Amino acid sequence: MKLIWIKRLGLALLAVAVVAGFGWALREQPALVDVAEVTVAPMRVTIREEGMMRVRDVYAVSAPTAGHLTRTMVNEGDVVKANNTVVASIHPLDPPLIDRRAETELLASRDAARAGVGVAEIDLQRAQSALKLAQDELARTIKLFGSGFVSESALQRLTNEVDLQKNAVDAAKAVIGLRNAELANAEARLLQPDPADPTGESCCVNLLAPIDGTVLAVMARSEQAVAAGAKIAEIGNVHDLEIAVDLLSSDAVRITSGTEGEISDWGDDHSLRATVRRVDPAAFTKVSALGIEEQRVTVVLDLEDTDVRLGHGYRVFVEMTVWKCARCIQVPIGALFRNSDRWNVFVADGGRARQTDVQIGHMNDDAAEVLTGLKPGVSVIVHPSDTLADGGLVERRN
């Protein structure tokens, strides 16, 4: 009898153990979470964008006229003096090469011009002979007029004839000058380039540096023919730098003149201070790396701190402060999630997750300003999972 009761007690204990095991296995397990505290600290909202250092005023040296550019006399980095340093020189262009057919035509034009000079000289001789004859006739008529054998009208007619012949001589001389000019023009068109002296002996145009500064770039270095207005070099003061940043138009409206900026990732560990001087009034279209057309606005900043190692065209990153507060309640941005149209967080309260509505003000990449819903020192769950529910068990991850 006693043995039966022992067996029954053992089976009962076994059943209780099995039920307890199932209960232990099916119990609610606390979710491992990361926790952060709501703090009161300084906060600021910034816009960060890649920018470029540039010389404030860049002067372009360009060709004032078409000509033959000699080899540029300066290199990048050379220091130049205003109205003293010669950047480059421009000589007259060489005459073009003449092919055989064009040369034959020009030779014919030259021979025709020479013939025209000969004809004009013959006309001058004819006019001079006619003038001499008229003058001799006038001299005889004057003698006869004194004796009364010639009328006054005949004398007047011969006088006019002499004047006309003088005018004819002057006209013949002018025609000779015209024909000689035509001959010189025809001979000039026959000139070929001189390979021994490509620039000729005529005076050149020296291009002088417009300001005291440093050569930033040389666009035309070797000898070449240049058109009027061709850019040859750029000169600027490398100690007078500014920063240009192209912002999205939606970000540019938040920037005003006087906005504080910070320059980072320019090649050193410390940052440089800057201030926004100008926001351009017009935007331009720029295609992003993803092929999306964006409306960008150029923002120009003045450096308050500088470094001699910075130069024209250097890449930097600009962080501009659009809002800041000395002390405000803030929560990590990773603790926030949307519930319908409101912001929510999970508060870790006594091992339970409590879903709480919060009102958020300004936000940056790390934290958000808390207006209502949370107090300093409260622990919130960072990056809550989709399985976390209001009132669920939670345990802080070590």
Side-chain angles (χ1 to χ4, degrees), residues 87-380:
V87 178
S89 298
I90 298 180
H91 293 266
L93 285 171
D94 302 330
L97 292 172
I98 304 174
D99 56 39
R100 293 180 60 186
R101 183 175 66 180
E103 183 179 9
T104 302
E105 293 175 351
L106 293 175
L107 287 173
S109 299
R110 183 197 62 183
D111 295 340
R114 285 179 178 174
V117 172
V119 172
E121 290 175 348
I122 293 173
D123 290 340
L124 175 61
Q125 293 176 1
R126 184 183 298 114
Q128 290 174 341
S129 298
L131 174 61
K132 186 176 184 304
L133 180 62
Q135 289 175 338
D136 293 343
E137 185 69 21
L138 177 61
R140 288 192 296 271
T141 304
I142 291 174
K143 292 180 181 180
L144 294 175
F145 178 76
S147 302
F149 291 100
V150 177
S151 64
E152 184 177 356
S153 61
L155 178 62
Q156 184 66 36
R157 185 174 63 256
L158 289 174
T159 302
N160 292 338
E161 181 66 21
V162 170
D163 293 339
L164 290 174
Q165 293 302 327
K166 288 182 178 179
N167 292 335
V169 171
D170 293 339
K173 291 180 179 179
V175 170
I176 290 177
L178 175 63
R179 298 308 179 193
N180 283 324
E182 292 176 348
L183 175 60
N185 182 41
E187 291 176 342
R189 295 172 63 189
L190 282 167
L191 291 177
Q192 293 274 24
D194 184 2
D197 185 15
T199 59
E201 297 181 355
S202 57
C203 181
C204 62
V205 176
N206 289 328
L207 305 182
L208 303 179
I211 62 166
D212 294 341
T214 304
V215 178
L216 304 176
V218 178
M219 289 76 177
R221 190 178 303 276
S222 300
E223 291 189 18
Q224 56 187 285
V226 294
K231 188 181 293 187
I232 297 172
E234 288 184 346
I235 299 174
N237 183 4
V238 294
H239 302 295
D240 186 15
L241 298 174
E242 65 182 11
I243 306 165
V245 186
D246 295 335
L247 297 181
L248 291 171
S249 57
S250 57
D251 290 334
V253 297
R254 305 165 64 188
I255 303 296
T256 59
S257 178
T259 298
E260 296 178 356
E262 190 175 90
I263 312 304
S264 60
D265 293 341
W266 57 272
D268 207 332
D269 295 335
H270 70 278
S271 300
L272 304 176
R273 295 177 300 162
T275 304
V276 174
R277 183 177 84 244
R278 184 185 76 244
V279 180
D280 284 359
F284 61 93
T285 302
K286 182 178 181 180
V287 180
S288 69
L290 300 177
I292 301 173
E293 290 188 353
E294 300 172 339
Q295 294 303 114
R296 294 271 177 171
V297 179
T298 300
V299 177
V300 181
L301 300 91
D302 291 328
L303 280 168
E304 296 184 14
D305 302 325
T306 187
D307 194 288
V308 295
R309 294 172 291 178
L310 290 172
H312 183 65
Y314 283 31
R315 189 201 71 163
V316 296
F317 278 90
V318 183
E319 195 170 356
M320 289 162 283
T321 302
V322 297
W323 177 87
K324 65 179 180 180
C325 70
R327 288 179 59 83
C328 60
I329 303 174
Q330 51 188 287
V331 63
I333 199 75
L336 296 171
F337 63 93
R338 298 293 290 185
N339 182 17
S340 184
D341 59 344
R342 295 183 61 84
W343 287 107
N344 280 205
V345 297
F346 280 113
V347 176
D349 182 16
R352 295 283 179 176
R354 304 299 180 186
Q355 186 170 342
T356 306
D357 289 342
V358 293
Q359 185 177 357
I360 298 299
H362 296 87
M363 303 175 65
N364 58 26
D365 294 339
D366 301 318
E369 178 193 14
V370 179
L371 301 179
T372 60
L374 292 175
K375 294 182 179 180
V378 174
S379 297
V380 295

